């Protein structure tokens, strides 16, 4: 993989990571409620899920998962159900999608935040399809494949950690009091609507994509 191909890969991955999605909403919510530092557990969870998908894609297992309608459907519908739950919670709970009440932050363990980030991302089959479709496009078969996969995998991990950490701090900023309550409420409702929309879109995802 030459430098030009690598830069295209890196740019594409960065844009995808920075685009608003279920994981972004989750991490921003954690940052708003628990602070950016504690939300790093959630960031690590999202990044870990992407590492799993990257390894599955790199080893070819992803092709088998996509080929198995049953396994793919299980992953998809678990993700749909969880996103719908998060969306409804954001729309109808008093705290909303981006919770700014920090009174319970000390009672929430890091493993719970990690698990939430991990589940949200792992239950998104589009992440699996993304890596499955992306990796082969940038691998030069005439050069050491393992080295190329290591470079791309490490790059994805760094981009994930940096981008989601940024969203954790954005969430924390929302809870600092510098943003009006009406704006936070609008963000809450928008987050809930987006999560429901993402769930509906995920329901339509096919392994033939």
């Amino acid at each position: 993989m030459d430098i030009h191909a690598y830069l295209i890969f890196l740019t594409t991955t960065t844009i995808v990571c920075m685009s608003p999605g279920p994981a972004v909403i989750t991490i921003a919510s954690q940052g708003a409620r628990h602070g950016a530092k504690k939300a790093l557990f959630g960031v690590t969870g999202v990044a870990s899920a992407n590492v799993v998908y990257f390894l599955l894609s790199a080893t070819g297992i992803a092709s088998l998962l996509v080929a198995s309608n049953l396994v793919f459907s299980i992953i998809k519908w678990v993700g749909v159900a969880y996103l719908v739950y998060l969306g409804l919670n954001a729309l109808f709970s008093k705290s909303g999608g981006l919770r700014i009440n920090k009174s319970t932050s000390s009672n929430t363990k890091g493993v719970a935040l990690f698990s939430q980030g991990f589940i949200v991302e792992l239950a998104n089959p589009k992440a699996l399809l993304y890596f499955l479709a992306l990796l082969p496009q940038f691998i030069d078969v005439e050069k050491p494949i393992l080295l190329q996969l290591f470079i791309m995998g490490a790059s994805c991990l760094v981009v994930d950690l940096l981008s989601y950490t940024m969203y954790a701090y954005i969430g924390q900023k929302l809870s600092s009091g510098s943003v009006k309550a009406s704006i936070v409420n609008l963000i809450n409702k928008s987050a809930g609507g987006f999560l429901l929309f993402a769930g509906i879109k995920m329901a339509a995802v096919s392994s033939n994509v």
Side-chain angles (χ1 to χ4, degrees), residues 52 58 67 122 134 196:
V52 170
L122 194 68
L134 185 70
L196 287 177

Side-chain angles (χ1 to χ4, degrees), residues 77-93:
W77 289 109
V78 167
V80 169
Y82 196 58
L83 287 178
V84 170
Y85 164 76
L86 291 176
L88 292 176
N89 183 62
L91 286 172
F92 297 111
S93 71

Side-chain angles (χ1 to χ4, degrees), residues 135-205:
L135 294 184
Q137 309 301 321
F138 295 96
I139 293 178
D140 187 344
V141 296
E142 297 182 354
K143 297 180 180 179
I145 294 179
L146 289 180
L147 178 59
Q148 295 177 72
L149 290 174
F150 175 79
I151 292 174
M152 288 191 288
S155 298
C156 286
L157 179 59
V158 171
V159 169
D160 276 346
L161 292 174
L162 291 178
S163 60
Y164 288 112
T165 295
M166 180 195 72
Y167 279 111
Y169 276 98
I170 290 176
Q172 177 177 278
K173 197 70 174 178
L174 288 174
S175 66
S176 66
S178 58
V179 181
K180 293 182 178 180
S182 58
I183 300 299
V184 174
N185 183 61
L186 177 61
I187 294 174
N188 283 336
K189 302 308 178 185
S190 299
F194 181 85
L195 288 169
L196 287 177
F197 176 76
I200 294 172
K201 293 292 290 183
M202 185 182 292
V205 172

